[in-house]
Amino acid sequence: MLDPYIPLVLMFALALGFAVFSVAIAPLVGPRRYNKAKFDAYECGIEPSPQPTVGGGRMPVAYYLTAMLFILFDIEMVFLYPYAVSADSLGMFGVAAVVLFIATFGFADLYVWYRGGFEWN
Amino acid sequence: MTETARLLADDPIWLVLIKVVGTFAFLVLMTLLTIWAERRVIGRMQHRPGPNRAGPFGILQSLADGLKLAFKEDIRPVLADKWIYILAPVISATPALVAFSVMPIAPRVTLFGEETALQLVELPVGLLVVLAAAAIGVYGIVLAGWSSGSPYPLLGSLRSAAQVISYEIAMGLSFVAVIMYSGTLSTAGIVEAQEGGWFFALLPFSFAVYVIAMVGETNRAPFDLPEAESELVGGFHTEYSSLKFALFFLAEYINMVTVSALATTLFLGGWHAPWPLSLIGDGVLNTGWWPALWFLLKTIGFLFLFVWLRATLPRLRYDQFMNLGWKVLIPLSLVWICAVTVIRGLRNAEAVSAQQFLLIGGGAIAVLLVAAFLIPDRPPQEPEEPQAPLSGGGYPVPPLDLQVPQTPRRRTPVSSGASVAEHPQTRSPEGDEGGNSSTKEAPDGSV
């Protein structure tokens, strides 16, 4: 009797092998014709500035906010799954608990909303 | 432990290997066919034939394209971070291939004399495997954009990541009601739970949220902001070429197949035959290899939906897109989960007893939540936007007011000085700023 995870591991190994093989073979089978412009960052005709990444490698702060909100909501999701699996055995206590949990979260969500956390331009 | 798990447990290792290779081949084949079908269908929708030269109906077109990509030059920009740049396509493609392995295609088939299920792996946490793989795929996108050392890929990858994680929440929340009704996270178990009725009818809102989220999650039109050509050139894979680019392409299409298969599994009854057919011969169409056919047909239906959406809808603006995710899908999903929980709990408890109080409280909170989300937003505070300089101070910038100069009066042949004095600066409200348009010649840069 096989461990149920064995096929998953095999699939992972095959996928990884295929991807690594593709990446490794790419420079070997393709042609190589030197052209300086090819190795520059893609731009519409102008020379890239010395700091090509946007704003010298900095990113708009809105993305960090999105990432943090994502973590919060993702954790909420993770808490909801175990409840959903065993919803029937928890009965009305479970219902009340999960509704209160979502409500608490919902109010925090509203707060973020009113503070402009969900404004994107 | 589901029946499928028991069936899979006594698979010999050679059969497992065959199924692994088979799943892999199936996914690559589906990618090639989907790309071809997409181009054909979009072609038809735009009144042109689409690719029809390579092979019958042009079916070999994507194979030809794939081979061509393999023999293209592999470029690595000087500014790229070498190892991460090479690794990113691998990180993107590997989880995409892994995610599909939990899909239950057929419950019981005979393969090379062995009785088995047409499903690579059956786990009690099957859905989590899909979510985990989707989450890891984001790393590939972000790292690809970051390591390219170029502005467009970086912007594209940031957008892409923000988009995928935003819609992943909506997607994950749409699962909760399904899990509640099936009582399990295993994909085969969810399909078995839909024997009496498919979940899309029982949980229409979850289904709608999932369908929207799956399009957002795979970065497909109308949510294909990461590769908005007019703004970002090609998105996070702008700097990639040859087989590395092919891997990103492969990952994108495999993800499409996976989310379509997942939609089938969760909401459209998986391998179950559609209603009138399921009555034939006491469910004979739900045995043997038939389920694989139904599963495939439903999955292809969703893939067609992707193509249809792409041909029909224009791309959303970034803020519209994020608003849809965070202000509509997620809050409404939460309310929906509350509602389903309460309704289910009420029905199971039958005699509502001492817990009545808690229950009414919960219901009231749910109603409050709905009401709270209906309150209109605080209007965004528009900062006083500094007026863009109409003609750059000191720099040779063309005037930005874009006013067409007035048609000159027909000049009377008598005196040239008089007509200038008549209307010296009629069309420049900013006084000196737009003064270029007056007939007086101003020295460049000093206006």
Side-chain angles (χ1 to χ4, degrees), chain B residues 157-236:
Chain B
S157 74
L158 280 175
R159 270 198 193 183
S160 193
Q163 171 169 344
V164 171
I165 62 177
S166 301
Y167 276 64
E168 205 166 288
I169 297 169
M171 193 182 212
L173 289 177
S174 72
F175 293 170
V176 173
V178 172
I179 300 167
M180 225 180 278
Y181 269 90
S182 55
T184 175
L185 278 167
S186 102
T187 43
I190 289 172
V191 173
E192 271 164 37
Q194 296 182 67
E195 191 154 12
W198 298 356
F199 284 151
F200 83 98
L202 194 62
L203 306 164
F205 186 76
S206 292
F207 181 55
V209 170
Y210 178 80
V211 169
I212 296 173
M214 80 178 184
V215 182
E217 171 89 9
T218 45
N219 294 336
R220 294 281 305 178
F223 303 143
D224 57 344
L225 303 148
E227 38 198 277
E229 297 89 353
S230 45
E231 303 159 22
L232 290 175
V233 187
F236 62 90

Side-chain angles (χ1 to χ4, degrees), chain A residues 4-5 7-9 11-12, chain B residues 2 4-5 8 19 23 27 95-106 117-134 175 185-191 258-259 261-266 270-271 295:
Chain A
Y5 282 88
L8 199 66
V9 173
M11 186 73 199
F12 181 78
Chain B
T2 55
T4 312
L8 286 176
K19 284 205 286 186
T23 310
L27 284 175
L97 282 158
V98 170
F100 191 83
S101 43
V102 294
M103 298 300 163
I105 299 170
L118 215 53
Q119 178 181 2
L120 194 54
V121 44
E122 159 65 17
L123 299 171
V125 291
L127 267 186
L128 292 186
V129 170
V130 180
L131 278 176
F175 293 170
L185 278 167
S186 102
T187 43
I190 289 172
V191 173
T258 305
V259 293
L262 194 62
T264 306
T265 305
L266 292 180
W271 43 259
F295 184 87

Side-chain angles (χ1 to χ4, degrees), chain B residues 3 49 83 87 102 128 183 223 229 270 277 280 339 353 372 387 414 419 434:
Chain B
E3 200 188 337
W83 286 109
L87 210 59
V102 294
L128 292 186
F223 303 143
E229 297 89 353
L277 293 175
I280 297 174
S353 53
Q387 199 88 34
V414 191
S419 65

